[in-house]
């Protein structure tokens, strides 16, 4: 009774990092408009998706993909990701949602399963990409980098909701709050997790793991991509390996009996991706120079050329030449002029050198002639 009273006295929105000396008041609600509550969770998920899209579209051509065709696949993937993430979570919490169908569609306060989101995004996105004739493997490579951006930022939505934490820890990153303590006291009555002690900030670990993965795979995609699908497989391995260990710390995992679902999925996905990665490298090595990334194929070049032609036709039709279109001929003229000036300078220098060489040769001949004349003169007798 006394312990419950102590918990009630703790500010539920006050998050503390004891060893860092930090205390923050963190509410899950960002603001309210016309009686409608907007949560930080939803905002951060949206920001993560938007930044992921900005990155993905900025690199479409580097992967040989026509952005006009791919945008439909991206939109389909986002819709499929949201549906898949929610369905995955609800499936493993069915007892909670079975009697309240409206609650299934309320995702503003959390309740998304990342593996379900990835599966849903890839499934629906793939169908749309097939219909729009977008090659899947290079598309998978690109969107996997977008996944890491979205996951890195989206995990901070868990922080705003005071969720996705682990067991007790005395590490420097240990955290606690009124909401966390209340949840632990309600779900760990056996005392295996102590409510008023700091816990692992698993959301933070996963966010940093995704950030590091994005930086690593971004540079690999620019310098060492050997076959289409490589970056996607490396993403599955990277994320799955990190998630397996982080999940072992969490106290609010999804379970099937006594098995943590995310750990089981991680083991299966990492194993399959590792095998396929080895096969992919072997295949690319065996073909050698005969293997081409999609971006280097005639099909990709043709589709991108058609996209450029459509864009140019649209610009001409609407009389809206971009500044880049207007400046391009000027830049080309300037470049040609500079090249012409350089050629003229080089020609003048060459002519001057030839003239100097001719003068030097002429002078040499004169000196030689004078020496010859001096040698022919009779010597004067000694006095």
């Amino acid at each position: 009774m006394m312990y419950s009273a102590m918990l009630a006295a703790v500010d539920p929105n006050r998050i503390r990092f004891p060893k860092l000396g930090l205390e923050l008041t963190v509410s899950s609600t960002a603001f309210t408009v016309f009686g409608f509550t907007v949560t930080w969770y939803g905002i951060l998920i949206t920001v993560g998706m938007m930044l992921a899209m900005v990155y993905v579209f900025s690199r479409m051509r580097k992967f040989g993909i026509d952005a006009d065709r791919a945008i439909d696949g991206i939109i389909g993937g986002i819709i499929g990701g949201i549906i898949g993430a929610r369905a995955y979570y609800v499936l493993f919490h069915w007892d909670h949602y079975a009697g309240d169908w409206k609650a299934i569609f309320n995702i503003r306060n959390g309740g998304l399963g990342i593996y379900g989101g990835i599966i849903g995004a890839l499934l629906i996105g793939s169908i749309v990409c097939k219909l729009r004739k977008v090659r899947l493997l290079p598309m998978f490579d690109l969107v996997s980098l977008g996944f890491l951006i979205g996951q890195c930022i989206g995990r901070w939505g868990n922080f705003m909701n005071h969720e996705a934490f682990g067991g007790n820890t005395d590490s420097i990153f240990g955290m606690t709050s009124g909401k966390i303590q209340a949840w632990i006291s309600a779900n760990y009555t056996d005392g295996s997790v102590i409510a008023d002690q700091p816990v692992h900030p698993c959301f933070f670990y996963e966010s940093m793991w995704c950030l590091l993965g994005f930086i690593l795979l971004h540079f690999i995609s620019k310098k060492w991509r050997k076959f289409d699908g490589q970056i996607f497989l490396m993403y599955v391995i990277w994320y799955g390996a990190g998630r397996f260990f982080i999940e072992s710390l969490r106290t609010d995992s999804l379970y099937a009996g006594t098995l943590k679902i995310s750990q089981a999925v991680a083991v299966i996905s990492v194993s399959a991706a590792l095998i396929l990665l080895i096969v992919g490298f072997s295949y690319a090595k065996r073909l050698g120079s005969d293997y081409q990334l999609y971006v280097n194929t005639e099909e990709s070049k043709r589709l991108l050329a058609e996209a450029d032609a459509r864009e140019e036709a649209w610009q001409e039709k609407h009389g809206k030449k971009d500044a880049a279109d207007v400046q391009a001929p000027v830049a080309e003229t300037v470049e040609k002029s500079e090249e012409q000036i350089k050629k003229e300078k080089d020609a003048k220098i060459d002519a001057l050198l030839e003239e100097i060489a001719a003068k030097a040769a002429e002078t040499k001949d004169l000196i030689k002639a004078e020496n010859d004349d001096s040698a022919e003169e009779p010597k004067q007798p000694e006095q």
Side-chain angles (χ1 to χ4, degrees), residues 54-105:
V54 169
Y55 174 83
V56 167
F57 278 102
S58 71
R59 298 198 64 201
M60 283 280 184
R61 295 184 74 92
K62 297 294 183 180
F63 286 74
I65 299 172
D66 175 10
D68 289 340
R69 293 173 180 271
I71 190 171
D72 294 335
I74 295 290
I75 294 172
I78 291 173
I79 296 172
I82 294 173
I83 295 173
R86 187 58 172 175
Y88 185 93
Y89 185 87
V90 170
L91 178 63
F92 292 103
H93 287 84
W94 183 244
D95 291 341
H96 175 75
Y97 291 98
D100 187 2
W101 287 89
K102 290 183 180 179
I104 294 176
F105 302 98

